[in-house]
Amino acid sequence: MPKPLTIPFNKPYISTKCNDYMLKAYRSGKHCGNYDWTNKSIQLIKEKYNTSEIFLVPSCTAALEMGAMLAGLKPGDEVILPSYTFSSTVTSIMLFGARPIFCDINPSTMNIDVNQIKPLITNKTKLLLPIDYAGVPCELDKIKEISNKYSIPVLVDSAQSFGSLDSNSKWCSSEADLIAFSFHETKNISCGEGGALVVNNKEWIERAYILQEKGTDRRNVLQGKLSKYHWVDYGSSYLLSDILASILCGQLEDEKTIMSSRANVTQLYSEILRKFENQVNVIDESQKDKYNHHAYYIVFESHQKRNYFISLLQQDFKVSAYVGYSPLHSSPMGLKLGYKPSDLPVTQDLANRIVRLPIYTELGQSNNQLEYLKYAIETTLLSVLK
Ligand SMILES: Cc1ncc(COP(=O)(O)O)c(C=O)c1O
């Protein structure tokens, strides 16, 4: 047996260059948002992904809220989204009085089942809100067909998929009207709390600057066009501090290292799980080269086996695995809205059987940790599946 270690579920990546960047940002005296480090980060993202307008915001939750405002959501509107997602996907639209219409998922990706969207559309539907679970892109081409046919905009909750690409090597969601990313501590690229909103719909860009800046035209002051800014619209405080943007900048510069280290972990899981392929399902690996290695999951045949796997792995090896999302429709708030667990049978069933394995950059850089993890996971799977 390899030397025992403790493997947490996640650890944020620490870039050494961030010490210097953070101090520089702090000493600059420009600590609020939309200054030099924000601009540098945005530039790095634009160079790499050739994206249109991008806003750095305090979280993916904030990006989703801004997106909901840009889509003009109001009380009584309906939004179609998966139930298998984080609470922020739904709270962001309910904040503006919209009603969530939960859609079941495709078992091969855990993303929204595109074949079930059309029957949910009514004349109140104002937004389609899919997510990219585990970093695996939703089927945006098919979602866009529906969006074009019914003239309903698409906001993709890409909290987990920064760096995942489409078949043209552009961002996987680049055809969506709006894309929301997360740079939370648990994500591949992180700055503690942070996020980004990409606005592809050109008609919304001007307003996005105002919503982000508490309903003011402060951008005109930053650009030297005005000496004083004014209150002109709705808005909130949707700015990432430049100190956090300096950390983000260091991480964006290291994106290649982060991705390739995480790829070592998914490669290891792929090799281990191949031996058990008749007994468990795993994350869809058909798009491996386009995927950002954010997460790796296993789906067991039963709830009991999944739970036994998690507890044995923790108890015998101090390796932390995680169950993933609790479906929203069967959460206390979903039940209050009138949903029943059986309304979305695929979501309910898979959520009971899925487990996410540890993955973080340092793990993929350490042969000792990888060797120990291999031993721990193989041994536990052999016990659980015997
Ligand atoms: C799908 C999804 N959306 C939104 C969020 C919230 O992200 P943030 O913490 O950056 O607001 C998460 C968090 O993990 C998520 O998984």
Side-chain angles (χ1 to χ4, degrees):
M1 175 178 161
K3 184 169 160 273
L5 298 168
T6 297
I7 309 275
F9 177 66
N10 180 61
K11 253 190 195 182
Y13 169 69
I14 309 289
S15 165
T16 45
K17 60 178 72 147
C18 287
N19 298 347
D20 178 41
Y21 289 5
M22 260 190 307
L23 263 184
K24 281 189 174 140
Y26 184 60
R27 288 184 178 142
S28 75
K30 307 269 195 225
H31 297 174
C32 65
N34 280 344
Y35 276 120
D36 290 358
W37 291 96
T38 298
N39 293 337
K40 270 186 205 167
S41 298
I42 288 177
Q43 205 45 44
L44 279 174
I45 296 172
K46 281 190 168 173
E47 275 163 21
K48 177 134 191 234
Y49 295 105
N50 190 22
T51 179
S52 46
E53 221 61 16
I54 176 157
F55 298 80
L56 293 194
V57 297
S59 61
C60 181
T61 307
L64 291 165
E65 289 174 14
M66 251 180 95
M69 273 205 233
L70 287 170
L73 292 186
K74 55 183 187 329
D77 289 346
E78 293 178 356
V79 176
I80 299 175
L81 72 163
S83 157
Y84 197 68
T85 180
F86 191 67
S87 58
S88 303
T89 321
V90 72
T91 55
S92 64
I93 60 118
M94 289 186 69
L95 203 57
F96 303 98
R99 180 176 163 72
I101 305 295
F102 292 119
C103 184
D104 220 336
I105 51 171
N106 176 343
S108 64
T109 59
M110 303 295 290
N111 283 329
I112 197 163
D113 182 348
V114 290
N115 296 320
Q116 296 199 41
I117 295 178
K118 269 192 204 162
L120 299 176
I121 291 179
T122 69
N123 56 9
K124 294 186 187 155
T125 312
K126 291 289 152 35
L127 187 66
L128 303 178
L129 181 41
I131 78 159
D132 299 328
Y133 181 65
V136 175
C138 62
E139 293 173 85
L140 193 65
D141 48 347
K142 294 188 184 143
I143 296 171
K144 273 302 281 183
E145 272 173 31
I146 301 172
S147 147
N148 292 339
K149 180 164 178 202
Y150 295 92
S151 302
I152 304 169
V154 182
L155 161 57
V156 183
D157 180 341
S158 295
Q160 304 189 347
S161 59
F162 188 90
S164 291
L165 303 174
D166 67 12
S167 49
N168 300 316
S169 296
K170 282 175 79 182
W171 259 345
C172 57
S173 320
S174 54
E175 298 302 319
D177 297 275
L178 299 158
I179 318 168
F181 290 110
S182 175
F183 300 124
H184 182 266
E185 170 192 304
T186 49
K187 302 302 183 292
N188 294 18
I189 304 242
S190 66
C191 58
E193 300 272 1
L197 179 71
V198 176
V199 181
N200 285 321
N201 182 330
K202 296 209 167 27
E203 288 171 18
W204 291 346
I205 292 172
E206 220 32 62
R207 184 154 193 250
Y209 278 105
I210 292 169
L211 297 182
Q212 185 193 31
E213 291 272 15
K214 301 118 178 163
T216 73
D217 54 2
R218 176 175 176 249
R219 185 177 188 224
N220 287 332
V221 176
L222 290 176
Q223 290 183 334
K225 291 184 190 159
L226 284 180
S227 56
K228 171 92 187 82
Y229 54 83
H230 301 93
W231 174 38
V232 294
D233 199 343
Y234 285 84
S236 190
S237 182
Y238 289 135
L239 295 134
L240 184 72
S241 158
D242 236 44
I243 300 175
L244 290 179
S246 73
I247 300 178
L248 184 65
C249 199
Q251 297 236 345
L252 287 166
E253 286 173 358
D254 288 353
E255 191 177 355
K256 248 193 188 153
T257 310
I258 294 172
M259 288 279 210
S260 64
S261 308
R262 297 180 77 103
N264 293 341
V265 184
T266 58
Q267 175 67 27
L268 177 86
Y269 287 145
S270 198
E271 282 164 21
I272 298 173
L273 270 302
R274 210 164 295 139
K275 299 177 204 148
F276 299 91
E277 66 188 357
N278 295 328
Q279 292 159 287
V280 291
N281 288 325
V282 296
I283 189 166
D284 176 15
E285 294 190 19
S286 58
Q287 308 254 350
K288 226 166 34 194
D289 50 337
K290 303 282 178 205
Y291 148 72
N292 69 352
H293 305 277
H294 176 64
Y296 197 99
Y297 63 77
I298 313 180
V299 181
F300 283 89
E301 162 198 294
S302 70
H303 180 59
Q304 288 77 6
K305 284 193 175 161
R306 188 272 308 260
N307 289 355
Y308 184 41
F309 173 80
I310 295 174
S311 58
L312 213 57
L313 196 60
Q314 184 63 50
Q315 182 192 299
D316 292 355
F317 296 104
K318 293 197 170 41
V319 172
S320 299
Y322 177 63
V323 290
Y325 300 132
S326 300
L328 297 179
H329 78 285
S330 53
S331 296
M333 186 64 183
L335 298 177
K336 267 193 217 162
L337 290 174
Y339 279 94
K340 298 187 296 301
S342 59
D343 287 341
L344 300 172
V346 180
T347 299
Q348 200 62 29
D349 171 46
L350 288 173
N352 279 326
R353 298 191 285 123
I354 194 168
V355 60
R356 277 176 56 180
L357 302 179
I359 183 162
Y360 48 92
T361 304
E362 182 198 301
L363 184 55
Q365 295 171 333
S366 156
N367 287 337
N368 286 350
Q369 291 186 46
L370 288 175
E371 193 194 346
Y372 178 68
L373 189 62
K374 181 170 189 290
Y375 178 77
I377 299 227
E378 274 178 353
T379 311
T380 309
L381 281 172
L382 284 171
S383 300
V384 171
L385 299 174
K386 70 174 180 251

